[in-house]
């Protein structure tokens, strides 16, 4: 079947290159089942997604030996216990090296599935069927797979690229508004870190994005994936540029961990984290404060949080930031910016300045 709105990209990684397909109805129409070489398939999904979309996926896998594991929704499920269960599922299935793991869901299911696929028999194929905006524009692309520990997010994981990313935009019709907005934070990130023109396009289309205009959403997904695919192609394992994709994430992960993976969604933490990174950049005289304002204004227009949550503790957050994977030799390595569209890696940030920035933000929050 043809799909007139289909957008196609490719992550150029030599022998491990793979397609990203974006369009309505792709779960049913795209030829992703043909990528499954073997007989055994493990599908991971969650309780919000499976009732809507699992039947469509199962329908495409007739003739295969399929096991499904449906998790309760949410970040707390991205843990070692769930990893062990999925590995058990593969063992029960007697899955051979040509088995495939299918991730049907958001970033939680995607990150967990990818890690399971990376570890079973030292690495089997997996296919990403992302169903959140965040997963379509970020987590399904690029092969970062992981589970969380109580000590910090994504601390156990592997780089393992999917065989394909199939973003069926029709699945977004059931995505709650808050989750859509959380995905928009990662979309804004691409403009903020490296593309002021895209940022301006997002400013012009903020209302259409919130209204879920299908063409505007599809364009935002495609442009985001273009950015991600290009960065991943030149720095798959984050030896350099790829770290720029973490703009706002060191602050954001600390907020998420402090929050014990509960209240704040990942994209919401990233929104607050990006504003903190911009603020710190301005306080370090690296960037104009007016750009922090412009970023915060767009995020606020998208109904995303931009202030520290009430009660956030600067000392605790700084402590958590010290465990970030980007740090080297115990030094705080942050992604900051020289202004809109100009993110940069700053290798040895003065912890006192970070603490002061967090304390200022906390004080403003308390007084404001
Ligand atoms: P998620 O997977 O928890 O999904 C968000 C919520 O939406 C869940 O409640 C889920 O059940 C529900 N949902 C998903 N699709 C739905 C649909 N179509 N209809 C109705 N409900 C639906 O969260 P997320 O925001 O997709 O992903 C966040 C995770 O992604 C975090 O763990 C984060 O660390 C990770 N992440 C990874 C990367 C990477 O490069 N690997 C990048 C960014 C984020
Ligand atoms: N989301 C950050 C990365 O993929 O590198």
């Amino acid at each position: 079947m043809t799909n007139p709105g289909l957008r196609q990209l490719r992550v150029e990684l030599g022998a491990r290159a793979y397609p990203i397909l974006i369009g309505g109805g792709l779960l049913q129409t795209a030829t992703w089942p043909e990528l499954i070489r073997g007989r055994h398939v493990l599908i991971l999904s969650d309780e919000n997604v499976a009732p809507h979309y699992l039947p469509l996926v199962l329908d495409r896998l007739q003739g295969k030996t399929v096991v499904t594991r449906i998790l309760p929704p949410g970040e707390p499920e991205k843990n070692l216990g769930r990893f062990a269960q999925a590995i058990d599922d593969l063992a029960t299935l007697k899955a051979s090296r040509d088995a495939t793991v299918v991730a049907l869901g958001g970033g939680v299911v995607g990150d967990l599935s990818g890690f399971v696929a990376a570890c079973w028999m030292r690495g089997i194929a997996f296919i990403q069927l992302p169903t959140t905006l965040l997963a379509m524009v970020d987590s399904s692309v690029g092969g970062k797979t992981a589970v969380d520990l109580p000590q910090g997010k994504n601390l156990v994981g592997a780089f393992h690229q999917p065989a394909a990313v199939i973003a069926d935009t029709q699945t977004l019709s059931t995505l709650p508004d808050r989750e859509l907005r959380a995905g928009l934070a990662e979309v804004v990130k691409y403009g903020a870190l490296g593309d002021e023109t895209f940022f301006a396009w997002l400013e012009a289309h903020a209302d259409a994005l919130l209204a879920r205009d299908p063409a505007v959403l599809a364009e935002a997904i495609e442009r985001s994936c273009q950015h991600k695919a290009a960065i991943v192609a030149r720095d798959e394992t984050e030896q350099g540029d790829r770290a720029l994709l973490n703009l706002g994430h060191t602050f954001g992960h600390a907020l998420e961990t402090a929050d014990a993976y509960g209240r704040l969604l990942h994209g919401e933490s990233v929104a607050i984290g990006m504003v903190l990174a911009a603020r710190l950049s301005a306080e370090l005289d690296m960037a104009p404060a007016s750009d922090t304002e412009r970023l915060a204004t767009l995020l606020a227009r998208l109904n995303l949080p931009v202030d520290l949550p009430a009660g956030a503790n600067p000392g605790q957050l700084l402590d958590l930031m010290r465990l970030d994977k980007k740090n080297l030799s115990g030094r705080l390595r942050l992604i900051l910016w020289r202004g809109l569209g100009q993110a940069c890696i700053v290798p040895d940030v003065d912890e006192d300045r970070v603490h002061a920035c967090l304390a200022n933000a906390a004080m403003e929050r308390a007084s404001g």
Side-chain angles (χ1 to χ4, degrees):
M1 245 183 279
T2 54
N3 186 321
L6 179 66
R7 296 162 191 253
Q8 295 194 64
L9 307 171
R10 209 170 157 72
V11 184
E12 296 297 353
L13 284 170
R16 284 169 297 106
Y18 54 93
I20 304 172
L21 269 53
I22 303 157
L26 292 180
L27 287 181
Q28 285 146 294
T29 59
T31 54
W32 60 268
E34 291 172 12
L35 295 170
I36 298 177
R37 287 184 303 129
R39 190 159 57 90
H40 303 120
V41 179
L42 170 64
I43 304 176
L44 290 171
S45 189
D46 79 26
E47 287 166 3
N48 291 335
V49 176
H52 296 291
Y53 308 112
L54 183 60
L56 299 180
V57 170
L58 287 173
D59 196 47
R60 303 293 309 277
L61 296 176
Q62 285 173 26
K64 301 286 180 190
T65 307
V66 181
V67 165
T68 59
R69 179 163 288 277
I70 312 300
L71 306 174
E75 185 73 26
E77 302 304 320
K78 206 176 100 177
N79 62 37
L80 284 170
R82 293 297 183 193
F83 167 79
Q85 283 178 342
I87 291 290
D88 268 357
D89 291 337
L90 286 167
T92 307
L93 200 54
K94 296 189 170 49
S96 43
R97 271 222 165 109
D98 56 1
T100 298
V101 179
V102 172
L104 174 68
V108 166
V109 159
D111 281 12
L112 173 66
S113 304
F115 187 45
V116 168
C119 294
W120 181 253
M121 295 190 174
R122 301 198 183 94
I124 59 171
F126 86 113
I127 296 178
Q128 290 272 19
L129 305 178
T131 63
T132 64
L133 180 60
L134 185 142
M136 290 180 190
V137 300
D138 194 353
S139 62
S140 66
V141 178
K144 274 192 184 176
T145 74
V147 295
D148 302 329
L149 295 182
Q151 292 88 338
K153 266 183 65 82
N154 297 331
L155 287 180
V156 185
F159 286 99
H160 187 58
Q161 300 294 340
V165 177
I166 310 296
D168 182 340
T169 49
Q170 263 170 26
T171 62
L172 297 177
S173 65
T174 52
L175 188 69
D177 283 339
R178 186 176 169 200
E179 297 292 348
L180 185 94
R181 295 195 297 262
L184 289 174
E186 299 278 12
V187 173
V188 169
K189 179 187 76 177
Y190 293 108
L193 76 88
D195 186 348
E196 194 176 354
T197 308
F198 183 42
F199 190 91
W201 183 87
L202 292 170
E203 289 176 317
H205 292 87
D207 294 337
L209 287 164
L210 283 176
R212 299 172 183 246
D213 179 310
V216 174
L217 264 183
E219 177 151 359
I221 296 167
E222 183 180 21
R223 287 173 79 164
S224 299
C225 286
Q226 275 164 353
H227 278 288
K228 178 121 191 201
I231 292 184
V232 168
R234 62 176 188 264
D235 180 19
E236 182 182 8
T237 56
E238 201 168 307
Q239 305 304 309
D241 267 16
R242 183 163 179 174
L244 299 176
L245 292 172
N246 286 310
L247 178 65
H249 282 58
T250 307
F251 288 102
H253 284 169
L255 284 164
E256 277 185 271
T257 307
D259 194 44
Y261 313 128
R263 247 173 335 141
L264 279 175
L265 300 180
H266 175 74
E268 292 171 340
S269 318
V270 168
I272 300 169
M274 285 193 291
V275 174
L276 286 168
R279 248 184 106 126
L280 178 61
S281 306
E283 288 175 13
L284 294 172
D285 288 328
M286 290 172 50
S290 54
D291 280 1
T292 311
E293 277 310 304
R294 202 170 150 198
L295 174 64
T297 302
L298 175 57
L299 292 169
R301 273 185 69 200
L302 295 170
N303 289 323
L304 283 158
V306 292
D307 296 320
L308 272 185
N313 175 335
Q316 182 201 16
L317 292 175
L318 181 57
D319 235 19
L320 290 166
M321 289 171 74
R322 292 193 182 105
L323 201 56
D324 189 87
K325 293 188 292 309
K326 284 183 296 306
N327 297 338
L328 294 175
S329 308
R331 298 203 173 94
L332 212 51
R333 191 162 164 262
L334 295 182
I335 311 307
L336 301 180
W337 72 5
R338 300 189 194 292
L340 252 179
Q342 299 171 66
C344 54
I345 303 168
V346 183
D348 190 4
V349 185
D350 182 345
E351 291 195 0
D352 291 343
R353 302 297 298 267
V354 178
H355 189 275
C357 174
L358 288 165
N360 288 340
M363 224 151 49
E364 274 173 31
R365 171 71 166 82
S367 65

